[in-house]
Amino acid sequence: MRFILLLAFVLGFLPVKAGGPWAEGKGKGYVETSALFAVATTTKDHTYQLYAEVGLLEKLTFKAIIPLKYISTPNDLDPNRFEQGTLFGISNVTLGLKYEVFKKKAVMSVGFDTELKTLNSDAALGLRTGYQKYTFRPIYSVGYGVEKLYTYGEIKPGFSTNGFGHDINVIAEIGGKVDENIWIAGYFEIRGVFKNGDFNTLDAETFLNTGFYRDRQNFFTAGAKIAATLVKGFGINGAVFYGTNVTQSNGGGLISVKAGIYYDW
């Protein structure tokens, strides 16, 4: 399954009990540490991540996402022609703010995320742990909650540096309580590149062999997730999802699973 990227720091990693248009509230917050693994793929692509939301004001929330990646050279590449190896390091860190502009049963918020050009790279192996760019994302989010059910949608255009193209993300999620302490949800995300860049043209030749974090990468992912509070705000969660990654010349799909521990206060 060469050229497949595990898009772990997008929707498949977002927790059931955070995200969306809802503000945390002043002094409240959510922290989660989690791991996500690809299933039955020729490329090791594991992600270990810290996700946090903290309420700065009643309607203003700060967000941070810090992912670490462990990846490998695809084992379907000819070892006589291509160097084999693994790489571990930080991926693109996200810092953001979210402001709740309207709240009744329906909620509307606006936000802004900055995805930093933080990554580890090995040109000889053709491996890197993140996109070699900064991305700036205004976020427009609307949600609705009633009794034990909720749903929300987001639109997140992304404007990139370093010769990468610009893209737009569309997210939807629906979920609810099945027990006093258990939440389940279904979700999907689509990303489409609306303006191609020239990064692929200028990129090192070795990265063409592995396909990691190049330009012009559209994707679709969908799946289900569950969260269960155990005691005093501490809980566990998990997710399973199917994702596809399509570059200008190739594509594919894979199933991934996630497990995490969270604290909600």
Side-chain angles (χ1 to χ4, degrees):
M1 296 176 113
R2 195 188 310 172
F3 305 111
I4 298 174
L5 301 181
L6 184 61
L7 301 162
F9 48 89
V10 289
L11 193 59
F13 241 121
L14 294 185
V16 172
K17 298 190 70 179
W22 293 274
E24 288 291 336
K26 186 176 181 179
K28 298 179 182 179
Y30 177 97
V31 176
E32 175 188 294
T33 180
S34 52
L36 189 146
F37 305 95
V39 176
T41 174
T42 62
T43 304
K44 286 187 179 68
D45 194 336
H46 303 161
T47 304
Y48 310 94
Q49 179 169 284
L50 176 68
Y51 180 102
E53 286 193 1
V54 178
L56 303 180
L57 301 172
E58 195 60 33
K59 294 185 177 183
L60 183 66
T61 298
F62 169 77
K63 175 174 68 178
I65 306 173
I66 305 175
L68 299 173
K69 281 276 191 178
Y70 175 72
I71 58 177
S72 70
T73 308
N75 60 25
D76 56 354
L77 293 179
D78 184 351
N80 297 316
R81 295 179 56 206
F82 304 107
E83 187 175 350
Q84 305 289 304
T86 63
L87 186 65
F88 177 79
I90 194 165
S91 190
N92 299 105
V93 172
T94 297
L95 302 175
L97 291 172
K98 172 173 56 180
Y99 183 76
E100 199 176 80
V101 296
F102 176 84
K103 183 177 181 179
K104 289 189 177 179
K105 287 185 178 179
V107 179
M108 180 183 299
S109 71
V110 295
F112 190 85
D113 282 0
T114 300
E115 298 166 14
L116 306 181
K117 192 174 68 173
T118 47
L119 69 154
N120 193 11
S121 181
D122 188 323
L125 295 174
L127 298 178
R128 54 187 163 217
T129 59
Y131 289 103
Q132 201 167 322
K133 63 171 180 171
Y134 292 92
T135 304
F136 306 100
R137 295 191 183 279
I139 302 172
Y140 310 94
S141 185
V142 177
Y144 181 81
V146 55
E147 296 181 355
K148 296 182 179 182
L149 299 175
Y150 75 91
T151 184
Y152 76 86
E154 287 186 346
I155 297 175
K156 305 196 302 182
F159 303 94
S160 300
T161 64
N162 202 25
F164 278 83
H166 307 318
D167 62 69
I168 186 165
N169 286 31
V170 178
I171 297 170
E173 179 170 326
I174 184 168
K177 278 187 175 183
V178 296
D179 182 79
E180 184 61 29
N181 296 312
I182 300 176
W183 293 79
I184 60 171
Y187 61 86
F188 79 88
E189 177 175 7
I190 298 173
R191 174 180 294 179
V193 176
F194 65 84
K195 182 180 179 181
N196 288 334
D198 59 4
F199 182 83
N200 287 353
T201 304
L202 304 174
D203 201 8
E205 183 69 23
T206 51
F207 293 107
L208 295 174
N209 304 322
T210 61
F212 277 98
Y213 296 99
R214 309 198 75 232
D215 194 13
R216 309 168 193 168
Q217 292 180 326
N218 305 312
F219 71 81
F220 167 82
T221 184
K225 46 191 176 179
I226 184 170
T229 300
L230 302 179
V231 59
K232 294 183 179 179
F234 285 95
I236 57 175
N237 57 22
V240 58
F241 69 97
Y242 175 82
T244 66
N245 176 74
V246 183
T247 66
Q248 191 177 36
S249 59
N250 49 65
L254 63 93
I255 295 174
S256 301
V257 294
K258 169 211 166 182
I261 301 172
Y262 67 84
Y263 178 58
D264 188 10
W265 73 91

